[in-house]
Amino acid sequence: MKFFITILKYILLSALLCNFAYAQNGKQKKEEINISSSFKPSIIKSSKIEFRPEGIARDTSAYKFKYEPVRLSFSTPMSGFTIKPLVYEPEELKLDSNAAFIQLGYGNLSSPQIAASLTRSKNNQFLSGHADYFSVKGKLLDQQHAIGTGGLTFKKRISETHQYFASLGIEDHNYRTYGFDRTVLNNISSNALKQHITKFNLQTSLTNVADEEGKLSVRPLARFQFLSNNKGFTNFETLLELPFEYKLKNNLLLNANPNLNLLHSKEENLAPTNAYILQFPIGVNYIVNQIKVDVNAQPVLLKTGFKLLPNLNIAYDLKEKHFRLSGGYRNQFEMNSFNRLFSLNPFILPFSNTPVYEKHAFYSGFNWYNSSGLQLSFEAAYVKHQNLALYVNSGFLGKDFATIFESTLKTIDFESYLTYRLDEKISLKSRIKWMIFQYQSNFEKPYGVLPFEMNSGAIWQPIKKLSIQLNTQIWAGSYAKSQRSPSVTKLKNAVDINVGIDYKFNENWAIWLDLNNIANQQYQRWNQYDSYGFNFRGGVKYAFGKTNR
């Protein structure tokens, strides 16, 4: 109860801050290309380039290159252990199209950090590369993690109606499974605890608008991901997509997205396994007055059989009030690959049995914004999860997690987003997700699933050269269980508060400082794995190149 009262106070405080907001000043009209360091190659619809493979949207604006100092947010599997450097999202620096950037830092947990990026552009093409490394050693024996990444991104406008994108990335994770009671077994070697995961990502895509009026849009995409570990396990995943849209009338759009997801897994001394998802959703978007209807049929072929499901979304716009009400029914199919689940829980054992995760939801919600920069969205849904991955401690020590799959879990979900830009110096953002568990068919509890999450942040720039970011994560602890015991425990609730400070001396030099888990909360996101507690790191940044002021 105290936990939810604390959350309510936090929400009310955010609301009070919003009431004192100033009107937001003008918005930028040009799309801009930003460079930031993360883990996987990507480009998203706003033309912001990160390093995670995602699709691209047609970009008709002129190129305007913008370089953002490397932001190592490190949203890695270990993020629940507060090794997140640079919670601060720094001010973007506009540099020449040929530019380089380097960042160095060190922290109290023997945590060196180095990052470097390079950008090159010529006419209608753009190339960038990055490399970064970060490591940390906690106070507990064998509590350590090292992460190295590298990547290349290439984007080229072939013509006014064609745009090509390619990316290549690598991640290297080295850590140890330290979560066990050493009074039970104290002679286990560090080598036996070592985990080494390497991931490769390759993506290529093309955006094609076939005619001058833009009636037909085709966006083929191919994505390849390969993962291996030091235990002889490999995981290879392929995604092929051919989404297209055709405008029949000004208010009538035909769309389809045939796609194929293939997965090949191989455990040491075991036969390989394969899984696939073949989908061909096809439908129409129709707009009449203030009502928009999206409806499609979704044929799905799985290894277990064939399914044909409908998707429906109906939205009603009150444009003069900046309000949209929507609702409908949607379906989602996703591969339960080790690659995807490792990104959530790094302590899971490799597995080759990969049932397809399904999510079927009836939902309704609204979106609202005002001219002062406040945006709010809310959605409530009744959801049926099938083959949902759960996690239980495995083996004598319980330091590893076995993945089990719940055939049916029904939940009532609430999700809300809020963003507020008070003025050019202050902005706020918040996300809340709450799951109420209703029915479960196979297991007693949804082990490892967080019933409540709240992420919020604020950026304040009191003076031009100084920026401060506050980032807070709050969640209710999940249920936990060992395969060796019938008892079920509930992990403690957690509050993780982080502060980042960045001071820019001039166009090239800056210093930064991160304060993570400043309340020194000794929480466990995963059972038996204590957090790193309070930690800090700081360093310098240097940008090579002349800024375009």
Side-chain angles (χ1 to χ4, degrees):
M1 185 58 134
K2 292 181 179 179
F3 176 69
F4 289 100
I5 292 174
T6 302
I7 293 170
L8 181 59
K9 289 179 180 178
Y10 193 90
I11 296 172
L12 291 174
L13 178 60
S14 299
L16 289 172
L17 289 172
C18 293
N19 287 333
F20 289 102
Y22 297 100
Q24 182 180 9
N25 294 331
K27 302 181 183 286
Q28 280 187 312
K29 295 182 179 179
K30 276 191 176 180
E31 289 190 87
E32 296 176 341
I33 292 178
N34 299 327
I35 310 298
S36 63
S37 176
S38 184
F39 277 107
K40 307 172 189 171
S42 85
I43 182 169
I44 59 177
K45 290 186 177 180
S46 63
S47 296
K48 180 178 180 181
I49 296 177
E50 296 178 340
F51 291 94
R52 179 180 309 167
E54 292 179 0
I56 65 173
R58 187 185 181 216
D59 182 2
T60 57
S61 63
Y63 271 24
K64 180 180 179 183
F65 292 101
K66 206 178 185 187
Y67 190 79
E68 176 183 296
V70 179
R71 185 181 72 250
L72 296 181
S73 61
F74 278 80
S75 54
T76 72
M78 300 294 287
S79 60
F81 297 84
T82 50
I83 62 166
K84 306 176 292 297
L86 286 184
V87 295
Y88 164 62
E89 184 174 349
E91 178 193 7
E92 294 169 345
L93 296 177
K94 301 176 184 177
L95 301 183
D96 288 336
S97 53
N98 296 326
F101 181 83
I102 189 168
Q103 174 174 327
L104 301 172
Y106 196 80
N108 66 317
L109 296 182
S110 302
S111 48
Q113 177 182 329
I114 182 171
S117 294
L118 178 68
T119 65
R120 289 289 184 266
S121 66
K122 183 179 180 181
N123 299 327
N124 283 329
Q125 66 183 28
F126 172 78
L127 175 68
S128 73
H130 90 286
D132 37 58
Y133 173 83
F134 172 74
S135 66
V136 61
K137 289 185 179 181
K139 297 178 180 179
L140 301 177
L141 187 62
D142 292 310
Q143 186 186 36
Q144 60 187 66
H145 197 158
I147 308 167
T149 75
L152 292 172
T153 301
F154 177 74
K155 180 178 178 182
K156 180 178 177 63
R157 188 192 305 282
I158 303 171
S159 68
E160 284 299 316
T161 59
H162 294 74
Q163 181 173 266
Y164 175 73
F165 169 78
S167 65
L168 174 67
I170 181 174
E171 303 175 26
D172 193 73
H173 299 255
N174 286 276
Y175 59 99
R176 297 177 185 177
T177 50
Y178 63 90
F180 64 96
D181 186 353
R182 293 185 180 269
T183 62
V184 176
L185 183 65
N186 60 8
N187 62 348
I188 188 169
S189 68
S190 295
N191 285 333
L193 304 177
K194 284 184 178 179
Q195 303 292 317
H196 183 195
I197 303 287
T198 303
K199 298 201 290 184
F200 295 92
N201 304 283
L202 172 65
Q203 175 179 307
T204 181
S205 62
L206 177 70
T207 296
N208 174 32
V209 180
D211 52 44
E212 292 182 358
E213 297 179 359
K215 286 187 176 181
L216 176 65
S217 175
V218 183
R219 300 182 299 278
L221 177 146
R223 180 186 304 162
F224 308 95
Q225 296 179 319
F226 177 79
L227 177 147
S228 65
N229 75 353
N230 59 329
K231 310 295 184 182
F233 176 79
T234 58
N235 196 182
F236 182 73
E237 189 169 1
T238 301
L239 176 64
L240 303 174
E241 290 186 349
L242 187 62
F244 65 87
E245 296 177 347
Y246 184 76
K247 186 184 294 184
L248 299 170
K249 297 180 180 179
N250 287 335
N251 64 340
L252 183 61
L253 184 71
L254 174 69
N255 61 74
N257 184 20
N259 61 86
L260 174 63
N261 192 186
L262 299 170
L263 179 66
H264 177 84
S265 301
K266 176 70 171 67
E267 292 187 70
E268 190 174 26
N269 301 323
L270 294 178
T273 60
N274 300 287
Y276 61 85
I277 307 173
L278 177 61
Q279 303 181 78
F280 201 127
I282 184 169
V284 294
N285 300 345
Y286 180 66
I287 300 175
V288 54
N289 298 325
Q290 295 170 289
I291 299 175
K292 180 181 179 181
V293 179
D294 299 339
V295 60
N296 73 53
Q298 186 175 3
V300 182
L301 180 62
L302 307 172
K303 199 173 182 178
T304 55
F306 175 80
K307 297 185 178 185
L308 179 61
L309 298 170
N311 290 281
L312 173 67
N313 180 76
I314 301 175
Y316 181 74
D317 282 319
L318 293 173
K319 295 182 179 180
E320 66 280 1
K321 297 186 180 296
H322 311 295
F323 184 84
R324 168 179 285 189
L325 184 66
S326 62
Y329 177 73
R330 61 172 173 251
N331 302 280
Q332 175 185 341
F333 294 83
E334 193 170 42
M335 198 73 76
N336 270 319
S337 66
F338 179 83
N339 188 9
R340 184 176 73 87
L341 300 185
F342 165 80
S343 298
L344 177 65
N345 183 348
F347 308 111
I348 59 174
L349 293 168
F351 61 89
S352 53
N353 176 31
T354 53
V356 173
Y357 168 67
E358 301 180 28
K359 183 178 180 180
H360 312 282
F362 292 94
Y363 66 94
S364 64
F366 67 85
N367 293 274
W368 175 80
Y369 70 94
N370 66 13
S371 58
S372 298
L374 175 64
Q375 300 181 52
L376 175 66
S377 66
F378 173 82
E379 182 179 288
Y382 181 74
V383 183
K384 180 181 179 182
H385 307 267
Q386 292 182 275
N387 299 322
L388 177 67
L390 308 178
Y391 310 95
V392 293
N393 295 86
S394 175
F396 175 70
L397 296 177
K399 64 183 181 62
D400 302 302
F401 284 83
T403 306
I404 57 178
F405 297 97
E406 175 59 71
S407 62
T408 302
L409 173 66
K410 296 179 180 179
T411 63
I412 297 175
D413 294 1
F414 301 96
E415 193 161 7
S416 179
Y417 295 86
L418 181 145
T419 61
Y420 206 165
R421 188 173 181 86
L422 280 71
D423 56 21
E424 291 301 318
K425 295 183 178 181
I426 302 177
S427 62
L428 307 171
K429 60 182 178 180
S430 182
R431 172 185 176 267
I432 295 175
K433 184 177 181 180
W434 183 17
M435 300 176 67
I436 302 175
F437 305 119
Q438 296 293 298
Y439 168 80
Q440 193 166 346
S441 61
N442 298 108
F443 305 104
E444 183 180 352
K445 296 293 182 181
Y447 309 118
V449 179
L450 296 178
F452 180 89
E453 299 176 73
M454 179 176 179
N455 300 305
S456 59
I459 299 176
W460 178 37
Q461 189 174 9
I463 59 176
K464 188 175 181 179
K465 294 185 176 183
L466 176 65
S467 294
I468 302 171
Q469 174 168 321
L470 171 68
N471 177 274
T472 303
Q473 296 176 313
I474 302 172
W475 67 78
S478 63
Y479 291 100
K481 181 184 180 299
S482 170
Q483 285 183 322
R484 294 172 52 85
S485 171
S487 63
V488 177
T489 60
K490 190 176 186 304
L491 301 181
K492 293 181 179 180
N493 304 324
V495 179
D496 189 349
I497 304 173
N498 312 287
V499 176
I501 303 171
D502 188 277
Y503 184 81
K504 184 172 60 180
F505 292 104
N506 51 45
E507 295 175 340
N508 301 107
W509 285 99
I511 58 174
W512 59 274
L513 174 67
D514 286 345
L515 305 173
N516 293 315
N517 195 0
I518 60 177
N520 198 28
Q521 289 273 304
Q522 298 300 316
Y523 58 80
Q524 293 184 2
R525 170 59 183 95
W526 300 106
N527 188 37
Q528 300 185 187
Y529 282 88
D530 291 332
S531 70
Y532 282 90
F534 170 73
N535 61 92
F536 66 86
R537 65 189 59 82
V540 298
K541 308 174 185 178
Y542 183 78
F544 300 87
K546 182 181 178 182
T547 57
N548 296 323
R549 297 288 182 186

